[in-house]
Amino acid sequence: MPNKAFIAYAAYCLGSLSLCALAAGLGLEELWMILGAIAGFLGTAYLIYVAKRTKN
């Protein structure tokens, strides 16, 4: 598996888990889940940036 595909897959997984955490945090009104989801979305954006700059 090329590095680019692995990083993109990790970004996809992190983004989907962050979306689930955001939905659960909004449903349960838990601030820490919402903040964790926001941090996850920032991490997803960074991983997508890294995947675009990776050679293979």
Side-chain angles (χ1 to χ4, degrees), residues 1-15 43-44 47-48 50-52 54-56:
M1 175 180 238
N3 292 340
K4 190 175 214 172
F6 177 76
I7 295 170
Y9 180 72
Y12 169 75
C13 290
L14 181 61
T44 300
L47 282 175
I48 290 171
V50 169
K52 286 184 178 180
T54 302
K55 299 269 185 205
N56 56 358

Side-chain angles (χ1 to χ4, degrees), residues 3-30:
N3 292 340
K4 190 175 214 172
F6 177 76
I7 295 170
Y9 180 72
Y12 169 75
C13 290
L14 181 61
S16 62
L17 289 175
S18 297
L19 188 61
C20 291
L22 182 63
L26 291 173
L28 298 173
E29 297 177 1
E30 293 286 339

